[in-house]
Amino acid sequence: MKVLKFGGTSVGTVASIEKVLSIVRDSFDKDEKPLVVLSAMSGVTNLLTQMAEDAAEGKGFSENLEIIEEKHFDVVRKLIAVKFQNPVFTKLKLMVNDLDDILQGIATLRELSAQSKDLVLSFGERFSNYMVSKIMEQYVPESEYINASHYIKTDSDFGNAHIKEDLTTQLIQALSYTHANKLLFVTGFIGSNDKGRVTTLGRGGSDYTAAIFGSVLGASIIEIWTDVNGMLTADPRIVKKAFSLPILSYTEAMELSYFGAKVIYPPTMIPAFMKKIPIAIRNTFEPHLLGTRIQFESDKSNYPIKGISSISDISIINLTGSGMIGKSGFSGRLFTLLAREQINVVLITQSSSEHSITFAVNPSDATRALTLIAAEFELELAANKLVMPEVEEDLSVLAIVGENMKRTPGMSGKLFHALGRNGINVRAIAQGSSEFNISVIISKEDLAKALNAVHDAFFAELKKTLYVFNLGTGNIGATLFKQLYKQHDFLLENNDIEIKVVGISNSRKMLFDVSGVDLGSWEEALETKGEIADLTGFIEHMKALNLPNCVFIDNTASKLPATYYEDIFKSNISIVTCNKIANSGDYAQYQSLHETARKHGVDFYYETNVGAGLPIVRVLKDLMMSGDRILKIEAILSGTISYIFNNFVGDVSFYEIVKKAQELGYTEPDPRDDLGGVDFMRKMLILARDAGHAIESSDVNLGAILPESCLSASSVDEFYAELLKAEQYFNALKDRAAAAGQVIRYIGKLEKGKVSISLQMVDGTHPFYALSGSDNIISFTTERYKERPLVVKGPGAGAEVTAGGVFADLVNVGA
């Protein structure tokens, strides 16, 4: 036989009760000999509690009583044929009248005892089981309602009664003999003491009822039908990627349940555990799913852990002092005291020096625990052998659980890396010798972030989510969005990365959407739903959302965003930027940014600072990381200047080629911004710093391309006029190069810690001779690449390649 237990949501509405009937009939038709345990209809227990409390306070309760009556009568009208309704209405009405009489008595006495409250609460299960048994009787005449208080015998601890196992076993066995071949509907949650007074079994009481009956009757399985698809890897309200676990051991399920998984309550499993009866957690509303099977032994799993559980609100008490060192029995005194006063200790950790003990309790117990400790250890506190304990509040517990943990090295490292990288401080740690559980106490405000970060870390087959906040929607920003939109599915399938752009801002408007902005229509969304842009507000909101695996992208050329970089790093948010300002400003700022990023364990990627989409910064760092020594770097790092000199051949004038470059969009509105060499200088400065040289921009020897008359022109038109006048100067350069079989190149060089940028003429033996179009090129001469330098060459300008470089940096953060 099997036991089927249905929770309150499963019997909460007409539609859900129909599903319950279908599941039970299917089991009965398969001759599985089901026994059914039902909770009260959803919401009824709360109404009963409220009525009892209102009655004790002299308040009216009739309105809620009518709601309960009508709630059950409505189900009867819709699910029982009219000719069978009157006897059911009569019985339910008599039960309602009994409840009314009890509440009237409470109101008269103005007192609500635990015994009276249990009696009131028992009506929820009595109503639902009687009603559903009568509905089922239409299809299965053998259906019968059973009041479990006649068979489950307990002590008189009302509200949380304890079972008297021997007597309960005898009564349930007798019931099975007298009701053989019957389809029994048994009230969950309730029992009775020796005097026949109704008791309740506490939290998870209906599950406990199912486990007791299943254990006594030797059930093949106990199925707990609820509104979720089994036990999940994490709380699905917080971790959207949480998924159901097919199999758990009793130990794993108890660990997960103890630390907050509400699907099942640990004591309910003990009777099943003792008889090695499996428990299945299944979804009433999706009965085709197998849910989670909890059994004596776990199965093999590809995952190192089974789940991540949590308690959202906890307080910790720190007890320190020299009087604890080597003092046998001290911990016994402390925890016996707390147990005696019914204060549940959630977690304990003690320093190896025995100088301190930290333990976690429910916040409601914290103040009382302090008072008790102060009284118990009064002498030690007076003698300064103990320091008056302190309470830390607004904390949460996060626990990773799984039997595989003890066979898998690096579990703690992976947990703390995931937390540390996301800036989550651990206040206390506890791990049992069984190694089934590692628990950490963290700030309550970090819980959601921590759960998502740890879930991504341990369930590697799932897709890692990056939450992106993008500043700048110009050519590069807009192109990046197109690329992300187009490559979304590819990243999921091939890189196991999902990128969600959750924040967008330009100089006018900013937009936030934690579920991810639709990059197919971001412009319309920003325009219609965006608020007035505020850079400080944008960054503060990004920090306040406290998302895991968060990345800030700076796709601007503005000086202002760089002033926020250090604060962003301190919030454990990675940065990807094509903006050169931060890395090419003062060396002290460069050094501070890199040190802050390193200290907080986040990424700072800026490949596009130097070579647009070319892997120049990465190649340099890889060379240095592998122990190579940089002897010389030569580079052409301006796509604009490259285009101009690559095409300054034959009869074309320098004036004409600059004009054409501007028309093609290769130059800034004022071509001197490119030809002045300042942008090139910034790139060489960044390379030099990344190569380990502490230099400032003033240390760079920047050679001129243009005559002074062109540079000092008061307008762009005047600049072009001066450029025409200088035609003889440029033609002389071109002719001299041609006569020597050379070409003109504007080359930056780093050698012996010195940076220079100048016009040079190179012949066919130089790697820069054959450069074409707007390509960039860089040559690394190192100890390993001394005879034949390492050369990187490719497109050095354009929104597509620059956005592609930002995209690559973003994927590297995810990796």
Side-chain angles (χ1 to χ4, degrees), residues 298-317:
S298 187
D299 66 332
K300 291 183 179 179
S301 172
N302 294 327
Y303 302 117
I305 67 171
K306 284 294 179 69
I308 307 160
S309 201
S310 60
I311 300 173
S312 61
D313 197 7
I314 208 78
S315 295
I316 61 174
I317 297 176

Side-chain angles (χ1 to χ4, degrees), residues 478-491:
T479 305
L480 174 65
F481 292 160
K482 288 179 184 176
Q483 294 176 353
L484 289 173
Y485 182 70
K486 183 178 180 181
Q487 297 297 317
H488 179 267
D489 292 343
F490 178 86
L491 284 175

Side-chain angles (χ1 to χ4, degrees), residues 73 144 171 174 199 256 322 375 387-388 425 464 565 579 582 588 601 621 624 633 662 702 726 747 763 770 803:
F73 278 24
E144 188 166 337
L171 291 170
T199 58
L256 286 170
S322 59
V387 178
M388 186 61 194
N425 187 38
K464 182 174 184 179
Y565 281 11
N579 189 337
K621 290 187 175 180
M624 297 181 66
I633 295 176
Q662 186 175 29
L702 180 61
I747 298 174
D763 59 24

Side-chain angles (χ1 to χ4, degrees), residues 198-375:
V198 172
T199 58
T200 60
L201 306 180
R203 177 184 162 193
S206 292
D207 290 349
Y208 198 15
T209 302
I212 292 166
F213 272 85
S215 175
V216 172
L217 300 177
S220 59
I221 191 169
I222 299 167
E223 294 182 350
I224 308 293
W225 291 83
T226 180
D227 56 0
V228 294
N229 298 327
M231 294 191 75
L232 305 181
T233 51
D235 186 339
R237 295 167 300 179
I238 301 174
V239 181
K240 301 306 180 186
K241 297 178 188 177
F243 58 92
S244 60
L245 296 157
I247 294 178
L248 288 172
S249 70
Y250 290 123
T251 304
E252 290 170 333
M254 291 180 80
E255 292 278 5
L256 286 170
S257 297
Y258 183 78
F259 281 95
K262 306 296 188 217
V263 178
I264 196 168
Y265 185 53
T268 67
M269 288 184 277
I270 293 174
F273 182 92
M274 300 302 292
K275 295 286 186 70
K276 296 186 180 180
I277 298 171
I279 298 172
I281 311 296
R282 302 187 64 180
N283 192 338
T284 305
F285 306 97
E286 296 188 68
H288 61 284
L289 299 176
L290 296 178
T292 300
R293 181 184 175 95
I294 303 169
Q295 58 190 33
F296 187 74
E297 292 183 346
S298 187
D299 66 332
K300 291 183 179 179
S301 172
N302 294 327
Y303 302 117
I305 67 171
K306 284 294 179 69
I308 307 160
S309 201
S310 60
I311 300 173
S312 61
D313 197 7
I314 208 78
S315 295
I316 61 174
I317 297 176
N318 299 304
L319 192 58
T320 62
S322 59
M324 298 165 57
I325 301 173
K327 186 81 170 180
S328 60
F330 183 89
S331 297
R333 282 178 65 193
L334 172 62
F335 295 116
T336 299
L337 167 70
L338 297 174
R340 187 174 65 239
E341 298 297 326
Q342 300 294 307
I343 294 176
N344 183 42
V345 176
V346 175
L347 176 151
I348 304 166
T349 181
Q350 182 174 12
S351 66
S352 58
S353 67
E354 301 182 40
H355 185 265
S356 67
I357 294 177
T358 298
F359 59 95
V361 297
N362 291 324
S364 58
D365 291 331
T367 301
R368 190 158 59 96
L370 277 185
T371 303
L372 291 168
I373 292 169

Side-chain angles (χ1 to χ4, degrees), residues 716-784:
V716 174
D717 289 340
E718 188 178 330
F719 156 72
Y720 274 115
E722 292 296 327
L723 202 58
L724 269 175
K725 295 176 184 178
E727 187 172 342
Q728 184 176 354
Y729 166 76
F730 287 107
N731 285 339
L733 287 175
K734 180 175 64 176
D735 293 342
R736 182 153 55 91
Q742 297 175 322
V743 291
I744 305 170
R745 299 287 183 256
Y746 193 57
I747 298 174
K749 182 170 72 171
L750 167 65
E751 190 172 18
K752 296 180 180 179
K754 304 293 184 182
V755 177
S756 62
I757 305 171
S758 61
L759 276 178
Q760 299 179 33
M761 296 181 186
V762 299
D763 59 24
T765 62
H766 198 283
F768 296 178
Y769 178 84
L771 199 64
S772 61
S774 60
D775 281 359
N776 279 356
I777 190 168
I778 187 164
S779 168
F780 295 98
T781 303
T782 72
E783 288 285 1
R784 295 174 190 158

Side-chain angles (χ1 to χ4, degrees), residues 1-7 10-11 17 19-28 32-39 125 128-133 136 140 142-148 175 182-189 206-207 209-211 213-214 217 219 221-225 284:
M1 58 90 66
K2 65 162 59 174
V3 176
L4 308 178
K5 181 268 172 178
F6 295 89
S10 298
V11 289
I17 290 173
K19 291 185 180 294
V20 169
L21 297 172
S22 175
I23 293 166
V24 174
R25 287 177 64 187
D26 181 61
S27 178
F28 186 83
E32 293 175 337
K33 296 181 174 57
L35 180 144
V36 183
V37 177
L38 301 179
S39 295
E125 275 69 20
S128 66
N129 279 269
Y130 173 75
M131 177 184 69
V132 175
S133 71
M136 181 61 82
V140 181
E142 298 89 344
S143 300
E144 188 166 337
Y145 161 65
I146 298 295
N147 185 335
L175 172 70
K182 293 280 189 178
L183 177 54
L184 304 182
F185 287 81
V186 180
T187 56
F189 185 52
S206 292
D207 290 349
T209 302
F213 272 85
L217 300 177
I221 191 169
I222 299 167
E223 294 182 350
I224 308 293
W225 291 83
T284 305

